[in-house]
Amino acid sequence: MKLFSLMIAVSLGVGLLVGPAPVWANDPCADHVPQARPQNASRDIVGRELDQIIEQGHMLFAVYEEYPPYSWEEAGQPRGVDVEIARLIAEYIGVEPRFNFVAAGENLDADLRNNLWRGALIGGRIANVMMRVPYDSAFKCRVEQVVFTGQYQTETIAIAYRQEAYPEEKPVPAYFRFDTVAVENDSIADFYLSGLAGGQLGANIRRYPDVEAAMAALAAGEVKAAMGPRAQLEHGLGAGVGLHQPPLPGFAVGTWTLGVGVNFRYRPLAYDVDDAIRTALEDGRIAGIYDAYGLSFQPPER
């Protein structure tokens, strides 16, 4: 469901703004109608959170649960790329990182609402920073309660495949009219393949609860290929399995940028978070985190 949330976020259209302000053809916020100003966004509140964080000595990060290689718990210890990047942020600010492992909601709006600015109706906690938030210029105009910042990775859709099944040519989506392919159920790869070529691939798509299970099926020889986010496929690679990123015809969201979200009331915190990530990108520490997990690092567009 995380990738379904992403698909909703990045597939927003851009229209025209009716009003006195000038409209530019490439303005992603051109059709946005501003929301009513929140009543608690006074000057007394803005910026106070960073001082409170430093004073208390710790900060809370929301990360997705059971989401390797990005975030999961192993023997009670937080692990994953997002966890390590969160630790870099906390170190930059000078506090201890703490983690709230959260389930993905119905869409990205719900995840941001539940974890950053309102809280879940039952048992929710507001985090200081939410990791792995897709950055989209049109979507950020809609969600005024969140500052979208700290872009730290570009993610792409890729295909993993059994090398014995494709000894010469690597598979492309058209091959799956005849060959079996594993996907995470209700993911962006699932929706793409299901709608390709008028639905001709449907009989060969095998759906699994997550990418990890899809890669296990590929390793076991149950399918010939698997399709999903490159980092998740890489995390499940084993002997005899290859990986590549072929052209994906008609796929508008095959590449996207990931960053973090911060409550709009705490912009000084958002500035420090972005500075921490920018510094770690420049000195190679974020690339080193990906390398330590056996992943290819694709720098973000910032």
Side-chain angles (χ1 to χ4, degrees):
M1 293 304 293
K2 303 174 191 69
L3 286 177
F4 179 65
S5 302
L6 171 64
M7 182 186 69
I8 297 298
V10 298
S11 61
L12 300 172
V14 176
L16 297 178
L17 175 67
V18 177
V23 177
W24 306 103
N26 62 346
D27 182 3
C29 300
D31 66 342
H32 174 64
V33 178
Q35 302 171 7
R37 184 177 297 278
Q39 296 302 305
N40 61 349
S42 71
R43 291 180 63 86
D44 293 334
I45 292 176
V46 172
R48 191 170 61 185
E49 182 70 6
L50 179 58
D51 292 337
Q52 291 176 341
I53 287 172
I54 294 173
E55 183 178 350
Q56 72 188 10
H58 59 81
M59 62 188 297
L60 184 64
F61 294 87
V63 293
Y64 287 111
E65 65 182 7
E66 298 302 323
Y67 199 22
Y70 309 125
S71 50
W72 76 98
E73 291 185 274
E74 188 174 300
Q77 296 299 313
R79 291 204 62 203
V81 167
D82 291 350
V83 168
E84 299 303 329
I85 294 174
R87 286 177 171 145
L88 292 181
I89 295 170
E91 180 183 8
Y92 183 89
I93 294 174
V95 296
E96 170 198 351
R98 297 184 180 180
F99 299 95
N100 185 25
F101 285 85
V102 302
E106 292 183 357
N107 52 45
L108 183 58
D109 285 285
D111 289 346
L112 297 172
R113 181 174 63 249
N114 292 340
N115 295 293
L116 284 181
W117 62 269
R118 192 186 74 180
L121 295 177
I122 300 175
R125 286 196 292 169
I126 294 294
N128 301 115
V129 177
M130 185 168 187
M131 305 298 294
R132 194 148 293 271
V133 174
Y135 181 84
D136 177 74
S137 56
F139 183 74
K140 74 181 180 68
C141 299
R142 255 184 48 197
V143 184
E144 298 178 356
Q145 299 90 345
V146 175
V147 177
F148 297 85
T149 188
Q151 291 77 42
Y152 60 86
Q153 178 204 350
T154 294
E155 183 62 282
T156 54
I157 293 294
I159 295 175
Y161 59 94
R162 294 187 63 82
Q163 292 171 328
E164 63 183 18
Y166 302 99
E168 297 179 2
E169 294 186 5
K170 299 174 182 179
V172 296
Y175 284 33
F176 305 138
R177 288 181 296 172
F178 311 102
D179 299 342
T180 52
V181 57
V183 296
E184 178 182 7
N185 188 44
D186 282 346
S187 69
I188 196 170
D190 184 2
F191 285 110
Y192 170 69
L193 291 178
S194 296
L196 196 64
Q200 295 181 38
L201 283 60
N204 288 317
I205 299 172
R206 303 290 183 267
R207 297 175 175 86
Y208 295 86
D210 50 42
V211 176
E212 193 173 16
M215 288 299 288
L218 178 62
E222 298 174 13
V223 293
K224 291 185 176 182
M227 186 172 179
R230 182 183 179 101
Q232 289 182 276
L233 297 180
E234 280 187 318
H235 186 67
L237 288 180
V241 177
L243 179 72
H244 78 133
Q245 290 179 219
L248 300 174
F251 203 166
V253 290
T255 299
W256 61 95
T257 301
L258 290 156
V260 305
V262 179
N263 189 299
F264 80 106
R265 291 175 295 182
Y266 309 125
R267 287 187 179 272
L269 172 62
Y271 298 148
D272 268 24
V273 169
D274 189 65
D275 286 345
I277 289 173
R278 176 181 51 78
T279 301
L281 284 169
E282 291 174 352
D283 65 20
R285 282 177 293 160
I286 288 181
I289 289 171
Y290 280 83
D291 185 63
Y293 280 91
L295 307 174
S296 301
F297 176 59
Q298 301 181 99
E301 292 186 13
R302 289 174 57 87

